[in-house]
Amino acid sequence: MKKTAGLRARVMLGILLLATLFNVLGALAFYFSNLRLQISFLDAMVKHEEAAFAAAYSRDPSTPLPDAALINVWFPSRSGSEQVPPTFAALRPGLHHDIVHDGRTYHVNVTTIGPGRAWFAFDVTEVENQETKIIQMLTAAVLIAIAFAGAFGFWLSRHIVAPLTALTEEVGALDPAVRNVRLSPAARGGEIQIIADAFERYLERLDRLIEREASFTSAVSHELRTPLSILSTSAEILAGNKRLDERAVKQVARIRKSADEVSRLVTSLLALARDTRHVDRHGEQLIDLREFCEVLIEQHRPLLLGRAVDIELRASASPSIACFDADLSIVLGNLLRNAIAYTDTGLITITIDDRSVRVHNPGEVIDAGDLEHVFECYYSGRNSSGSGLGLYLAKRICDRHEWTISLTSVPGMGVTAVVGFFPVDALDRPPQLEQAALS
């Protein structure tokens, strides 16, 4: 809505500026045209008085000076003539406009007649007063015209932007979780028909892609779960064979556990593939972080065989969090495997406090340029040999559960990964989580 409001304001401002420009230019054109005509008229009047007196003077030097109410004439060459006022005496020959003398405004013509110079001064004070009134009227007219233009611009801008406003409101109200939604006719009319049609085609294509992805996800889920179920069932049947020795029983138990872990891993990955914004809490468990990390370390100890590397768990607390164990396994497992892969010698530590788990390794540091991209899909740093999916999946799972994840790298100190959680207190545990924890 802010975008259309800004567009409407720009349309209205454009109309207002255009109207202001035309009105001001029109008023200025009228004023200067009137001023030009006025000056031409006054020039003609004083020239006429000058020509009449000069003609009469050439016939009879004793001709009296013109005697009119608004014209004063000074002709010092004639004996007994009045003294020329200093304001006029200082003027050069020619026409002079708006000369103020004794509070009055004059239009003056200084010329030479016969043996001397003559001054013809036409009193234009009333004309100037009328000119002032004309300016005031023009100013008022311009302001009124601008006000009307502003009101008209506001009305016109609303009608011009109305189709875009309707389209913006409908697009803004679309729920990404709802499919097969189309724009209403109100948002498709007018000049934005092409935009609306293009947007509708985009929605249709998006719906088809999502349906195709959902179908693919369902097919993959079925194809993966079927062999895993067979494997798990077969291992369960095999575990009931009394003729197996102790070593074989342990191997069968590992097979069953691995099949269950892969099944949960598939469930988490498929959940991520469907939607990362809506978390289905059904089936979550209450997981003790300390116990989980102990098991995680033992699962990864085979990766340490033949290497001068060890893993140590340091727990100052034993918080519990509600999540799928497969999600937690993906996040912490990726961090631990990365720590093992990039440590040649030394001690890898997993530190647990009441709100976070820290995985620190003293191995290779991450370049500063790579550090800000490590959570991007398919991004591999200069020293990385991975696919660029591990940390990306970990970040998506953290976002899905509203956890935090970060990496810091200090030369000479190694790399530290921190995952922040929201522990579940005993008093805050939902009944289904309490039951899962007890089971």
Side-chain angles (χ1 to χ4, degrees), residues 251-290:
Q251 294 298 326
V252 171
R254 290 186 63 183
I255 293 173
R256 289 183 61 187
K257 186 175 181 180
S258 297
D260 291 340
E261 289 178 357
V262 173
S263 180
R264 289 193 294 271
L265 176 62
V266 169
T267 300
S268 294
L269 293 177
L270 291 176
L272 283 175
R274 290 190 186 102
D275 193 352
T276 61
R277 295 167 304 158
H278 304 286
V279 182
D280 182 8
R281 301 292 182 184
H282 180 70
E284 284 189 346
Q285 296 176 319
L286 197 63
I287 299 175
D288 184 289
L289 275 178
R290 179 171 184 168

Coordinates of all heavy atoms in Angstrom, one line a residue, residues 251-290:
Q251 N 25.8 -56.7 15.7 CA 25.8 -56.2 14.3 C 24.4 -56.0 13.8 O 24.1 -55.0 13.2 CB 26.6 -57.2 13.4 CG 28.0 -57.3 13.7 CD 28.8 -56.0 13.5 OE1 28.4 -55.2 12.6 NE2 29.8 -55.7 14.4
V252 N 23.5 -56.9 14.2 CA 22.1 -56.8 13.8 C 21.5 -55.6 14.5 O 20.7 -54.8 13.9 CB 21.3 -58.1 14.1 CG1 19.8 -57.8 13.9 CG2 21.8 -59.2 13.3
A253 N 21.8 -55.4 15.8 CA 21.3 -54.2 16.5 C 21.8 -52.9 15.8 O 21.0 -51.9 15.7 CB 21.7 -54.2 17.9
R254 N 23.0 -52.9 15.4 CA 23.6 -51.7 14.7 C 22.8 -51.4 13.4 O 22.5 -50.3 13.0 CB 25.1 -51.8 14.4 CG 25.9 -51.8 15.7 CD 27.4 -51.8 15.4 NE 27.7 -50.6 14.6 CZ 29.0 -50.4 14.1 NH1 29.9 -51.3 14.3 NH2 29.2 -49.3 13.4
I255 N 22.5 -52.6 12.7 CA 21.8 -52.4 11.4 C 20.4 -51.8 11.7 O 19.9 -50.9 11.0 CB 21.6 -53.8 10.7 CG1 23.0 -54.3 10.2 CG2 20.7 -53.7 9.5 CD1 23.0 -55.7 9.7
R256 N 19.7 -52.3 12.7 CA 18.4 -51.8 13.0 C 18.5 -50.3 13.4 O 17.6 -49.5 13.0 CB 17.8 -52.6 14.2 CG 17.3 -54.0 13.8 CD 16.7 -54.7 15.0 NE 15.5 -53.9 15.4 CZ 14.8 -54.2 16.5 NH1 15.2 -55.2 17.3 NH2 13.7 -53.5 16.9
K257 N 19.4 -50.0 14.2 CA 19.6 -48.6 14.7 C 19.9 -47.7 13.5 O 19.4 -46.6 13.4 CB 20.7 -48.5 15.7 CG 20.8 -47.1 16.3 CD 21.9 -47.1 17.5 CE 22.0 -45.7 18.1 NZ 23.0 -45.7 19.2
S258 N 20.8 -48.1 12.6 CA 21.1 -47.3 11.4 C 19.9 -47.1 10.5 O 19.7 -46.0 10.0 CB 22.3 -48.0 10.7 OG 23.4 -48.0 11.4
A259 N 19.1 -48.2 10.3 CA 17.9 -48.1 9.5 C 17.0 -47.1 10.1 O 16.4 -46.3 9.4 CB 17.3 -49.4 9.3
D260 N 16.8 -47.1 11.4 CA 15.9 -46.2 12.1 C 16.4 -44.7 11.9 O 15.7 -43.8 11.7 CB 15.8 -46.5 13.6 CG 15.0 -47.8 13.8 OD1 14.3 -48.2 12.9 OD2 15.1 -48.4 14.9
E261 N 17.8 -44.5 12.1 CA 18.3 -43.2 11.9 C 18.2 -42.7 10.5 O 17.8 -41.5 10.3 CB 19.8 -43.2 12.3 CG 20.1 -43.4 13.8 CD 21.6 -43.5 14.1 OE1 22.4 -43.5 13.1 OE2 21.9 -43.6 15.2
V262 N 18.4 -43.5 9.5 CA 18.2 -43.1 8.1 C 16.7 -42.8 7.9 O 16.4 -41.8 7.2 CB 18.7 -44.2 7.1 CG1 18.3 -43.8 5.7 CG2 20.2 -44.4 7.3
S263 N 15.8 -43.6 8.4 CA 14.4 -43.3 8.3 C 14.0 -41.9 8.9 O 13.3 -41.1 8.2 CB 13.6 -44.4 9.0 OG 12.2 -44.1 8.8
R264 N 14.6 -41.6 10.1 CA 14.3 -40.3 10.6 C 15.0 -39.2 9.8 O 14.4 -38.1 9.7 CB 14.8 -40.3 12.1 CG 13.9 -41.2 13.0 CD 14.3 -40.8 14.5 NE 15.6 -41.2 14.8 CZ 16.0 -42.4 15.3 NH1 15.1 -43.4 15.4 NH2 17.3 -42.7 15.6
L265 N 16.1 -39.5 9.3 CA 16.8 -38.5 8.5 C 16.0 -38.2 7.2 O 15.8 -37.0 6.8 CB 18.2 -39.0 8.1 CG 19.0 -38.1 7.1 CD1 19.3 -36.8 7.8 CD2 20.3 -38.8 6.7
V266 N 15.5 -39.2 6.6 CA 14.6 -39.0 5.4 C 13.4 -38.2 5.8 O 13.0 -37.2 5.1 CB 14.2 -40.4 4.8 CG1 13.1 -40.2 3.8 CG2 15.4 -41.1 4.2
T267 N 12.8 -38.4 6.9 CA 11.6 -37.7 7.4 C 12.0 -36.2 7.5 O 11.3 -35.3 7.1 CB 11.1 -38.2 8.7 OG1 10.8 -39.6 8.6 CG2 9.9 -37.4 9.2
S268 N 13.1 -35.9 8.1 CA 13.6 -34.5 8.3 C 13.8 -33.8 7.0 O 13.4 -32.7 6.8 CB 14.8 -34.4 9.2 OG 14.5 -34.9 10.5
L269 N 14.5 -34.5 6.1 CA 14.9 -33.9 4.8 C 13.6 -33.7 4.0 O 13.5 -32.6 3.3 CB 15.8 -34.8 4.0 CG 17.2 -34.9 4.6 CD1 18.1 -35.9 3.8 CD2 17.9 -33.6 4.7
L270 N 12.7 -34.6 4.0 CA 11.4 -34.4 3.3 C 10.6 -33.3 3.9 O 9.9 -32.5 3.2 CB 10.6 -35.7 3.3 CG 11.2 -36.8 2.5 CD1 10.3 -38.1 2.6 CD2 11.3 -36.5 1.0
A271 N 10.6 -33.1 5.2 CA 9.9 -32.0 5.9 C 10.5 -30.7 5.4 O 9.8 -29.7 5.1 CB 10.0 -32.1 7.4
L272 N 11.9 -30.6 5.3 CA 12.5 -29.4 4.8 C 12.2 -29.1 3.4 O 12.0 -28.0 3.0 CB 14.0 -29.6 5.0 CG 14.6 -29.4 6.3 CD1 16.1 -29.7 6.3 CD2 14.4 -28.0 6.8
A273 N 12.1 -30.2 2.6 CA 11.7 -30.0 1.2 C 10.3 -29.5 1.0 O 10.1 -28.7 0.0 CB 11.9 -31.3 0.4
R274 N 9.4 -29.9 1.9 CA 8.0 -29.4 1.7 C 7.9 -28.0 2.1 O 7.4 -27.2 1.3 CB 7.1 -30.3 2.6 CG 7.0 -31.7 2.1 CD 5.9 -32.5 2.9 NE 5.9 -33.9 2.5 CZ 6.4 -34.8 3.2 NH1 7.0 -34.6 4.4 NH2 6.3 -36.1 2.8
D275 N 8.3 -27.6 3.3 CA 8.1 -26.2 3.7 C 8.9 -26.0 5.0 O 8.8 -26.7 5.9 CB 6.6 -26.0 4.1 CG 6.3 -24.5 4.2 OD1 7.2 -23.7 4.2 OD2 5.1 -24.1 4.3
T276 N 9.7 -24.9 5.0 CA 10.6 -24.6 6.1 C 9.9 -23.7 7.1 O 10.5 -23.4 8.1 CB 11.9 -24.0 5.6 OG1 11.6 -22.8 4.9 CG2 12.6 -24.9 4.7
R277 N 8.8 -23.1 6.7 CA 8.2 -22.1 7.6 C 7.2 -22.7 8.6 O 6.9 -22.1 9.6 CB 7.5 -21.0 6.8 CG 8.4 -20.2 5.9 CD 7.6 -19.4 4.9 NE 6.8 -20.3 4.1 CZ 5.7 -19.9 3.5 NH1 5.3 -18.7 3.6 NH2 5.0 -20.8 2.8
H278 N 6.5 -23.8 8.2 CA 5.5 -24.4 9.1 C 6.1 -25.7 9.7 O 6.4 -26.6 8.9 CB 4.3 -24.7 8.3 CG 3.7 -23.4 7.7 ND1 3.1 -22.4 8.4 CD2 3.7 -23.0 6.4 CE1 2.7 -21.5 7.6 NE2 3.1 -21.8 6.4
V279 N 6.2 -25.8 11.0 CA 6.8 -26.9 11.7 C 5.7 -27.8 12.2 O 4.9 -27.4 13.0 CB 7.8 -26.5 12.8 CG1 8.4 -27.7 13.4 CG2 8.8 -25.5 12.3
D280 N 5.7 -29.0 11.8 CA 4.8 -30.0 12.3 C 5.4 -30.6 13.6 O 6.4 -31.3 13.6 CB 4.5 -31.1 11.3 CG 3.5 -32.1 11.8 OD1 2.9 -31.9 12.9 OD2 3.3 -33.2 11.1
R281 N 4.8 -30.3 14.7 CA 5.3 -30.7 16.0 C 5.0 -32.1 16.4 O 5.5 -32.7 17.4 CB 4.8 -29.8 17.1 CG 5.2 -28.3 16.9 CD 6.7 -28.1 17.1 NE 7.0 -26.7 16.9 CZ 8.2 -26.2 16.9 NH1 9.3 -27.1 17.1 NH2 8.5 -24.9 16.8
H282 N 4.1 -32.7 15.6 CA 3.7 -34.1 15.9 C 4.9 -35.1 15.8 O 5.5 -35.1 14.8 CB 2.6 -34.5 15.0 CG 2.1 -35.9 15.3 ND1 1.3 -36.2 16.4 CD2 2.2 -37.1 14.6 CE1 1.1 -37.5 16.4 NE2 1.6 -38.1 15.3
G283 N 5.1 -35.8 16.8 CA 6.2 -36.8 16.8 C 7.5 -36.2 17.4 O 8.5 -37.0 17.4
E284 N 7.5 -35.0 17.8 CA 8.8 -34.5 18.4 C 9.0 -35.1 19.8 O 8.1 -35.6 20.4 CB 8.7 -32.9 18.6 CG 8.8 -32.1 17.4 CD 8.9 -30.7 17.7 OE1 8.6 -30.3 18.8 OE2 9.3 -29.9 16.7
Q285 N 10.3 -35.2 20.2 CA 10.7 -35.8 21.4 C 11.4 -34.8 22.3 O 11.9 -33.7 21.8 CB 11.6 -36.9 21.2 CG 11.0 -38.1 20.4 CD 12.0 -39.2 20.1 OE1 13.1 -38.9 19.7 NE2 11.6 -40.4 20.2
L286 N 11.4 -35.0 23.6 CA 12.2 -34.2 24.5 C 13.5 -34.8 24.6 O 13.7 -36.0 25.1 CB 11.5 -34.2 25.9 CG 11.9 -33.1 26.8 CD1 11.6 -31.7 26.2 CD2 11.2 -33.2 28.1
I287 N 14.5 -34.1 24.2 CA 15.9 -34.7 24.1 C 16.8 -34.0 25.1 O 16.9 -32.8 25.2 CB 16.4 -34.5 22.6 CG1 15.5 -35.2 21.6 CG2 17.9 -35.0 22.5 CD1 15.9 -35.0 20.2
D288 N 17.5 -34.8 25.8 CA 18.5 -34.4 26.8 C 19.8 -34.1 26.0 O 20.4 -35.1 25.4 CB 18.8 -35.4 27.9 CG 19.7 -34.9 28.9 OD1 21.0 -34.8 28.6 OD2 19.3 -34.6 30.0
L289 N 20.3 -32.9 25.9 CA 21.4 -32.6 25.1 C 22.7 -33.3 25.5 O 23.5 -33.7 24.6 CB 21.6 -31.0 25.1 CG 20.8 -30.2 24.1 CD1 21.1 -28.7 24.3 CD2 21.1 -30.6 22.7
R290 N 22.9 -33.4 26.8 CA 24.1 -34.1 27.2 C 24.1 -35.5 26.8 O 25.1 -36.0 26.2 CB 24.2 -34.0 28.7 CG 25.5 -34.7 29.3 CD 25.7 -34.3 30.7 NE 26.9 -34.9 31.2 CZ 27.4 -34.6 32.4 NH1 26.8 -33.7 33.2 NH2 28.6 -35.1 32.8

